[in-house]
Amino acid sequence: MKKASPVAPPLLTTATTVAATSPLAVPSQAAPGLAEAAPVTPTPGPGIAVRFDAAYLHNPKPVYPVASRRLGEEGRVLLRVRVSAQGLPAEVDVKQSSGFPRLDEAARAAVERWRFVPARRGTEAVEASVLVPLQFSLDS
């Protein structure tokens, strides 16, 4: 049984007073292929920049659907995840489909169980969004 490819961290950037490119949360080494994440824009308060620090969390990898493997389905799913101030995924939406609903759903279901390090405004944890790309590859 083949596994999905290795992981790279999702990234957040802000379009406010300070640009940051540090990862918000990083799945465990075993998680399937995350590519570089696209920038997203949280809504910080005036005059206070939102800060994002790297965090290495042990998030479960998506399960490659058996039917998708059998049918040779591969692709990249891009999810927009609204992360609560508690580090929980408040909302997970498919921003860009892999072209295969089974892969999109497997990615969404896995990320709904992930835990994130929330963005911070000063010392206060705040809600923000992150784009999480996941790559499903039969060769990995």
Side-chain angles (χ1 to χ4, degrees):
M1 182 176 282
K2 296 180 183 178
K3 296 181 183 177
S5 60
V7 175
L11 302 177
L12 279 182
T13 61
T14 64
T16 58
T17 56
V18 176
T21 57
S22 300
L24 173 64
V26 178
S28 67
Q29 295 286 346
L34 292 182
E36 293 180 33
V40 294
T41 308
T43 28
I48 301 175
V50 175
R51 181 178 150 186
F52 304 100
D53 291 320
Y56 296 92
L57 304 178
H58 299 285
N59 288 312
K61 63 182 180 177
V63 175
Y64 210 125
V66 174
S68 292
R69 281 189 180 279
R70 187 173 47 245
L71 295 170
E73 296 174 347
E74 298 179 300
R76 180 178 182 262
V77 182
L78 183 62
L79 301 173
R80 178 178 296 276
V81 183
R82 188 166 46 94
V83 178
S84 73
Q86 293 74 36
L88 301 174
E91 186 176 350
V92 179
D93 296 312
V94 176
K95 179 171 172 43
Q96 183 178 358
S97 173
S98 66
F100 300 101
R102 278 182 292 269
L103 297 181
D104 297 348
E105 179 56 27
R108 192 192 57 72
V111 172
E112 283 180 341
R113 297 187 313 262
W114 284 11
R115 299 299 174 255
F116 296 84
V117 172
R120 295 205 171 273
R121 183 182 304 125
T123 58
E124 177 187 358
V126 295
E127 184 175 280
S129 292
V130 62
L131 294 178
V132 178
L134 292 126
Q135 181 70 41
F136 288 89
S137 175
L138 294 170
D139 295 330
S140 303

